Amino acid sequence: MTRVGNVVVTDPPRAAAEHVDALAGHDVATVHEALGRTGCLGPGIRPVHLGSRIAGTAVTVLSWPGDNLMIHVAVEQCRPGDILVVATNSPSTDGMFGELFGTALARRGVRGLVTAAGVRDVAELHAMGFPVWSAAVSAQGTVKATPGSVNVPVTIGGQVIRPGDVVLADDDGVLCVGREDAARAVTAARARTEKEEAARAAFRAGELGLDRYGLRDRLADLGIEYISAEEYARRTGS
């Protein structure tokens, strides 16, 4: 395999728009469960403001910590329906992204930002309705001096995100679905949603999870015993 240096990969393959839009109708937790609990970027990436749910295709950025030069480069590569995904080659909490970037990306139809670094101008981003998920919020800014890459695979929270993969984000966190797996993810998410809707209706009717999920026999197998308060007091002396 030939090694490449600092590159900007143009026009990478993207997941089909119809699959991305279908996945946008499902929450992150549902898709995560439907795909066998894979693809989650972990609890370290959190929404700056609550209330947004988005799905889009990844445009990826690999930057040096404290340097946002490659974010400027990446803006040109973004299309409507994309989500910008920024990673750094070592940990960084600097505010690498703010309201001016949000303005430029919104103009290009970008649906949001996911970053393993920090952001700032959070009030302005909220006011303009540009959703952001980040590892930190920091007023400390950056320089524009060090080369990196755009549209190469990056890693956040132990998950590899490639350009064109589907990124889903909501109040519970961020999930990546490989672009080749998007169609299967739609089918699996719909099935999971139907299952959850059936369970929701059952719980509203009074059914217990112990019975719906067949857990009662498992309790005995695990050594869980039902005893009266009187018996508990006798055994414990309380």
Side-chain angles (χ1 to χ4, degrees):
M1 180 182 295
T2 302
R3 289 182 60 85
V4 296
N6 300 307
V7 298
V8 177
V9 179
T10 61
D11 198 25
R14 287 168 165 85
E18 61 266 27
H19 297 150
V20 176
D21 292 341
L23 286 171
H26 301 278
D27 60 74
V28 167
T30 294
V31 181
H32 180 239
E33 293 286 348
L35 293 178
R37 301 183 182 180
T38 61
C40 182
L41 273 57
I45 307 299
R46 301 295 302 140
V48 171
H49 296 100
L50 298 177
S52 295
R53 178 189 294 175
I54 62 172
T57 43
V59 169
T60 61
V61 181
L62 182 60
S63 292
W64 282 73
D67 193 312
N68 69 2
L69 171 65
M70 299 312 295
I71 301 179
H72 284 278
V73 176
V75 171
E76 186 180 28
Q77 302 304 314
C78 290
R79 297 179 179 178
D82 284 337
I83 293 175
L84 190 65
V85 179
V86 180
T88 52
N89 56 13
S90 62
S92 175
T93 58
D94 293 338
M96 296 177 63
F97 184 100
E99 175 261 336
L100 294 178
F101 271 137
T103 300
L105 290 177
R107 173 65 178 80
R108 302 182 75 86
V110 174
R111 294 175 176 173
L113 169 80
V114 173
T115 178
V119 299
R120 60 183 186 177
D121 301 337
V122 294
E124 290 81 1
L125 289 166
H126 180 56
M128 65 185 290
F130 190 83
V132 170
W133 287 257
S134 72
V137 172
S138 175
Q140 179 165 303
T142 60
V143 299
K144 302 168 180 60
T146 316
S149 293
V150 174
N151 279 333
V152 299
V154 298
T155 302
I156 298 178
Q159 297 295 325
V160 176
I161 303 109
R162 302 167 304 160
D165 284 348
V166 184
V167 175
L168 294 85
D170 64 15
D171 289 352
D172 292 334
V174 183
L175 181 75
C176 179
V177 177
R179 57 181 180 261
E180 302 92 343
D181 210 23
R184 183 180 74 87
V186 171
T187 301
R190 286 172 176 164
R192 177 80 188 185
T193 297
E194 290 174 0
K195 180 180 178 181
E196 290 180 350
E197 288 174 350
R200 188 176 298 111
F203 295 152
R204 285 173 177 163
E207 186 175 2
L208 296 175
L210 286 173
D211 299 314
R212 184 165 188 83
Y213 301 134
L215 299 176
R216 291 195 184 277
D217 290 341
R218 191 180 304 175
L219 298 182
D221 293 341
L222 292 172
I224 298 173
E225 181 184 5
Y226 284 77
I227 61 174
S228 67
E230 181 181 359
E231 176 63 12
Y232 181 79
R234 186 187 67 78
R235 295 186 189 182
T236 61
S238 60

